[in-house]
Amino acid sequence: MFERAERGNRAVILHPEFRSTGPDSLDEFQELARSAGADVAAVITAPRDRPDARFYVGSGKIEELAARVEDCAADLILVSQSLSAIQERNIEKACQCRVLDRATLILDIFAQRAQSYEGKLQVELAQLRHLSTRLVRGWTHLERQKGGIGLRGPGETQLETDRRLIGVRIRQLNSRLDKVARQRDQSRRQRLRSRAPLIALIGYTNAGKSTLFNALTGADVGAENLLFATLDPTVRRMQGLHCGDVLLADTVGFVSDLPHELIAAFRATLQEAREADLLLHVVDVSDPFRVERQADVETVLESIGAERIPVIRVFNKIDLSGHEAMVQPDERGRPATVSISAATGAGLEQLRQAVSDWLSSERINRWIELGGRHGRLRAQLFDLGVVNEERITEKGSWMMHVDVPRETAERLARLPGIEGQVARQQLLASLESTLAEPKLAESNVTGDTHALERTR
């Protein structure tokens, strides 16, 4: 086995091409290599009908690859597909050069970009899970379990030792991530109490999410022309909307064929998208493959359980495509698509208005009345932090002014364990009807007014 180079970023790309391979897959992989800091010296394409079990490509193409690596004095080989551990080992042995497949390269980019404590834990977890399937170079000189005096080994190969240590570390990381997840849940609980809706920016990597995030919130999140320029999610308050202040979250960008290890490890980070009241799907309208990009994003959303959250598509970069800023409604009259340019600011006011209109239609802001035997339901409403004001009527019932997302109200109305089916149905009916007016006659109120100020 050759000695791996410890440093060096000069790379040769091996790009196997199949009938199902997208026409832009090579360009995207070259962008991934550039984002990782690689200096691409050469590109070799390899048309295939199906992967080869030994090298993934043919032996003739491997000979060509080895010659190109030697001519370019390359330090590593980047393969645009995901390799098995055996295929990676065989290519390294044949070419005498370090090999990184697509999944490993993306993991390396994430490792470079992770800044937060949670992000670093998630990257390490994903790397260890990926590495655990690639322990094919284990040492064997300590594997003896019997023999003469002085020849008895510990009975465990280095490969088994590595697997055991990786397993221990993975359990430690999972435990720490569980603790971080609980802390995030507490933050979300406080956010629910503040009654500030959450909007998550999602989209294909390099679609302009961070630029749009900065334009809408006045933040200073790094926005570069690189894939995965933003890794750790950032949440800022978005002010000046007619519906009130909202929270806007900038999430990690998606990419086609995202490794399963990353989807699993970053489930907590993508929680911002799963818990959002509304998703803004940012699409680079100047990208000729935007339809395929949208499909890739929707696939990832489905894999993390966020496919049912309402979405407004934001067609960004109209300054590069020649389109005009505009809003297109759906069949119910709600905003469906908004064309903007985050870089120039064109269409941003239309986007703000579209978000405000959509949230106003999906949030219920009414008075409801609960009787004394419905204390548990009242406690649930306070626990969710959706009560703006409470008053006691002459007959001793509670008049409560609530501000709650319609989906939450429907879920609460069906929640088991709350006394009184009538109360649950009355909650939903009151929220959806116009019978309960926003203003309550003072003659029906006795006692002091208990107002709950909004937590900011």
Side-chain angles (χ1 to χ4, degrees):
M1 183 62 67
F2 74 99
E3 291 293 332
R4 283 184 161 203
E6 294 297 328
R7 297 181 180 179
N9 295 322
R10 190 170 178 80
V12 172
I13 289 180
L14 175 62
H15 178 60
E17 293 181 326
F18 302 92
R19 294 180 181 177
S20 59
T21 302
D24 65 323
S25 59
L26 178 57
D27 293 337
E28 180 182 89
F29 190 72
Q30 288 181 294
E31 282 298 310
L32 283 173
R34 186 173 73 89
S35 297
D39 177 18
V40 178
V43 176
I44 296 179
T45 59
R48 298 286 301 177
D49 291 329
R50 59 182 181 273
D52 179 76
R54 185 181 180 189
F55 293 115
Y56 201 93
V57 296
S59 56
K61 189 62 66 173
I62 290 298
E63 293 177 0
E64 178 186 349
L65 176 63
R68 187 66 61 88
V69 167
E70 184 176 358
D71 292 342
C72 297
D75 304 299
L76 69 157
I77 298 170
L78 302 178
V79 183
S80 62
Q81 303 289 339
S82 294
L83 303 176
S84 69
I86 298 300
Q87 290 167 340
E88 183 179 318
R89 182 193 64 181
N90 290 339
I91 296 176
E92 283 194 348
K93 185 176 180 181
C95 298
Q96 295 293 294
C97 184
R98 184 160 48 105
V99 174
L100 275 69
D101 67 353
R102 179 186 180 87
T104 308
L105 182 63
I106 293 177
L107 285 169
D108 184 80
I109 295 174
F110 272 58
Q112 294 180 39
R113 305 285 165 77
Q115 299 293 329
S116 68
Y117 174 69
E118 181 184 15
K120 292 177 181 178
L121 289 179
Q122 289 167 334
V123 167
E124 184 180 355
L125 178 62
Q127 288 177 319
L128 289 177
R129 284 175 172 169
H130 186 69
L131 179 62
S132 64
T133 65
R134 278 161 162 67
L135 295 178
V136 296
R137 303 177 186 83
W139 307 334
T140 58
H141 64 282
L142 299 176
E143 67 180 341
R144 292 186 295 271
Q145 296 185 12
K146 59 183 178 180
I149 297 175
L151 298 178
R152 293 179 177 86
E156 183 177 42
T157 65
Q158 186 63 38
L159 178 62
E160 293 167 339
T161 301
D162 289 344
R163 284 175 176 163
R164 177 169 52 80
L165 293 176
I166 287 177
V168 171
R169 181 59 178 167
I170 286 177
R171 287 192 292 273
Q172 291 175 344
L173 292 174
N174 280 326
S175 177
R176 294 180 183 179
L177 283 172
D178 287 342
K179 182 177 180 181
V180 174
R182 289 193 296 270
Q183 293 172 345
R184 277 189 174 273
D185 288 340
Q186 292 175 354
S187 298
R188 288 190 191 90
R189 198 175 190 85
Q190 182 63 34
R191 189 164 60 217
L192 282 176
R193 292 183 184 278
S194 71
R195 293 177 295 280
L198 175 64
I199 302 174
L201 290 174
I202 61 168
Y204 209 81
T205 184
N206 207 27
K209 296 185 302 301
S210 295
T211 303
L212 177 59
F213 181 82
N214 291 338
L216 292 176
T217 64
D220 190 23
V221 174
E224 302 178 64
N225 188 25
L226 292 173
L227 301 187
F228 300 119
T230 299
L231 178 58
D232 297 308
T234 305
V235 180
R236 294 289 186 272
R237 188 172 294 274
M238 182 175 164
Q239 299 175 327
L241 300 182
H242 296 302
C243 64
D245 292 354
V246 301
L247 297 178
L248 188 65
D250 185 20
T251 63
V252 62
F254 299 155
V255 70
S256 62
D257 300 323
L258 191 66
H260 294 293
E261 296 91 344
L262 279 181
I263 294 178
F266 279 80
R267 188 171 295 272
T269 300
L270 295 174
Q271 184 82 6
E272 300 294 348
R274 288 165 41 200
E275 296 293 334
D277 299 291
L278 176 66
L279 299 178
L280 297 184
H281 181 176
V282 183
V283 180
D284 181 358
V285 73
S286 66
D287 187 352
F289 305 103
R290 58 182 177 275
V291 176
E292 292 81 3
R293 306 289 196 228
Q294 292 181 51
D296 290 333
V297 172
E298 290 168 359
T299 299
V300 176
L301 287 178
E302 185 177 356
S303 69
I304 66 174
E307 71 278 5
R308 295 186 178 181
I309 299 176
V311 178
I312 295 178
R313 285 190 174 87
V314 180
F315 294 133
N316 191 25
K317 303 185 182 181
I318 59 174
D319 54 314
L320 302 179
S321 64
H323 291 76
E324 294 183 357
M326 59 182 300
V327 179
Q328 292 184 336
D330 59 13
E331 62 278 2
R332 297 174 57 184
R334 299 180 305 180
T337 64
V338 184
S339 300
I340 67 158
S341 171
T344 65
L348 290 185
E349 284 305 316
Q350 289 94 320
L351 176 59
R352 286 175 172 271
Q353 184 62 45
V355 169
S356 182
D357 293 344
W358 197 98
L359 290 176
S360 298
S361 67
E362 292 300 314
R363 293 186 72 85
I364 301 172
N365 194 329
R366 299 281 174 79
W367 286 92
I368 63 170
E369 182 177 4
L370 297 180
R373 64 189 183 92
H374 301 137
R376 186 175 299 181
L377 178 57
R378 173 178 173 270
Q380 287 284 343
L381 293 172
F382 273 105
D383 190 51
L384 288 174
V386 299
V387 180
N388 288 338
E389 186 177 347
E390 180 185 61
R391 300 178 181 179
I392 302 176
T393 66
E394 292 179 347
K395 57 184 179 180
S397 61
W398 294 295
M399 292 298 298
M400 307 174 70
H401 186 271
V402 295
D403 180 11
V404 57
R406 187 177 300 274
E407 181 183 0
T408 302
E410 294 174 352
R411 185 170 62 249
L412 184 61
R414 297 189 298 268
L415 192 65
I418 296 180
E419 295 177 357
Q421 180 69 20
V422 175
R424 295 197 297 271
Q425 295 303 323
Q426 183 253 338
L427 167 67
L428 188 57
S430 297
L431 292 175
E432 292 184 338
S433 69
T434 58
L435 296 179
E437 296 296 334
K439 293 184 179 180
L440 184 65
E442 295 297 331
S443 60
N444 294 331
V445 181
T446 61
D448 296 332
T449 297
H450 177 205
L452 298 178
E453 297 295 336
R454 294 192 174 191
T455 304
R456 293 300 183 188

